[in-house]
Amino acid sequence: MNINEWAGLRVIFNKCQYLRNHIDECENPQQCNPPAFCSNLDGTFTCSCPGGFMEVAGDCVEIDDCQDVTCRQFEECLAGVCSCEAGYQRSISGLCRDQDECSDPFICAGSQNQMCVNNDGSFTCDCITGYTRNGAGLCVDMNECDTNPCGINEDCSNTIGSFTCDCMAGFRRQGSNCVALTTCATTTCDVMSQMCVEVPTVGAQCVCLDGFMSSLSINGCQDVDECLTRPCIGANTVCQNTAGSFECVCQDGFQANPSNVCQGTVCFQ
Ligand SMILES: [Ca+2]
Ligand SMILES: [Ca+2]
Ligand SMILES: [Ca+2]
């Protein structure tokens, strides 16, 4: 080996030394066990734990600031400090109490027909009465008639936000029931003073004929005494009340002439 060859070997040796000292072990992503991070050093490397962790038997374990902390009800320990759990807030007494999220009037205002329902530690946005949540998550009118909520002889009508129960045709409301309407065929009215009328949703009614008025004291209707209103204005006339009507007749001693005017009978003699 001549001097030049020797020099060449030294160059190669120095390069190997350099490369060995400058290998970046951290290029291997699995060099350290997460969450440890790798630091390349001259000829070596280290694995270090990040902040909040400590090395225990080669592993990084979270430093538990809460290990010796005992929190009260509805509290949780975060970084060694007791804070109210989500949904709770510190009250004047110093304890964590349920937060009434519903005190915010807009908390359920993102969608129509909702109301806020507060509960311990949380709240819900429920559909208001008469509405139900559809597949799209919206509160829409509930068709209550689907569940047949009405009684016997009643028809259900769905309305926006509610529903109604009305008597079927041919029935009328009597208290909480629907009863069949009466008909004139089975109703007896006073033939002298009344006539029968079938009123929709009411049934057969006995109504007073003209010249009669309803009366609680007699069965049927009572004759109107038209003479009380002095309807006879012709000279020498007098009013005579009749059942259902009245007549204007000549006073005693008078007679109707051909023109239907009451004249003293003495004039005809
Ligand atoms: Ca609450
Ligand atoms: Ca409805
Ligand atoms: Ca009369």
Side-chain angles (χ1 to χ4, degrees):
M1 186 180 290
N2 62 36
I3 191 76
N4 285 339
E5 286 171 335
W6 177 246
L9 277 177
R10 277 190 57 190
V11 168
I12 292 166
F13 176 78
N14 284 342
K15 196 173 182 182
C16 287
Q17 187 82 14
Y18 177 85
L19 286 174
R20 206 187 66 204
N21 287 346
H22 288 82
I23 288 170
D24 185 356
E25 295 86 350
C26 293
E27 278 179 359
N28 176 6
Q30 273 135 31
Q31 195 65 263
C32 296
N33 225 0
F37 60 91
C38 181
S39 300
N40 184 42
L41 299 172
D42 198 14
T44 183
F45 68 97
T46 60
C47 292
S48 313
C49 292
F53 291 81
M54 58 188 271
E55 197 222 312
V56 176
D59 286 325
C60 291
V61 293
E62 211 164 347
I63 297 168
D64 187 2
D65 295 325
C66 295
Q67 201 167 20
D68 301 320
V69 178
T70 305
C71 293
R72 291 177 291 188
Q73 193 182 26
F74 308 129
E75 289 181 342
E76 59 187 348
C77 180
L78 294 170
V81 178
C82 290
S83 309
C84 290
E85 291 174 3
Y88 294 85
Q89 59 186 10
R90 189 81 57 195
S91 69
I92 300 169
S93 69
L95 299 174
C96 292
R97 296 281 182 231
D98 171 55
Q99 181 183 354
D100 182 6
E101 295 86 353
C102 297
S103 60
D104 175 356
F106 301 107
I107 197 151
C108 290
S111 185
Q112 284 188 318
N113 304 317
Q114 290 193 141
M115 61 178 178
C116 181
V117 177
N118 183 47
N119 58 52
D120 195 23
S122 185
F123 73 101
T124 55
C125 290
D126 293 357
C127 293
I128 60 176
T129 305
Y131 289 78
T132 185
R133 206 170 290 284
N134 69 5
L138 301 174
C139 290
V140 294
D141 172 56
M142 178 192 298
N143 186 353
E144 294 87 350
C145 295
D146 287 345
T147 58
N148 301 318
C150 295
I152 299 165
N153 302 324
E154 288 181 338
D155 281 331
C156 183
S157 299
N158 185 43
T159 63
I160 299 300
S162 188
F163 69 102
T164 59
C165 294
D166 302 304
C167 292
M168 294 164 64
F171 291 82
R172 69 179 174 86
R173 175 75 49 198
Q174 188 176 69
S176 59
N177 299 321
C178 287
V179 296
L181 293 178
T182 50
T183 63
C184 286
T186 58
T187 302
T188 306
C189 297
D190 177 46
V191 289
M192 287 299 294
S193 63
Q194 292 180 324
M195 62 183 288
C196 183
V197 179
E198 288 181 357
V199 183
T201 75
V202 174
Q205 295 274 288
C206 292
V207 296
C208 294
L209 294 169
D210 284 346
F212 292 88
M213 60 183 182
S214 59
S215 168
L216 296 174
S217 59
I218 63 165
N219 193 17
C221 295
Q222 186 178 14
D223 171 58
V224 174
D225 185 358
E226 295 87 353
C227 295
L228 294 175
T229 61
R230 303 182 184 281
C232 299
I233 55 171
N236 307 313
T237 57
V238 67
C239 182
Q240 275 188 350
N241 183 42
T242 64
S245 188
F246 71 101
E247 287 175 348
C248 292
V249 296
C250 292
Q251 291 177 16
D252 284 348
F254 292 82
Q255 268 188 343
N257 69 7
S259 303
N260 212 23
V261 174
C262 291
Q263 287 187 326
T265 50
V266 67
C267 298
F268 292 108
Q269 292 170 351

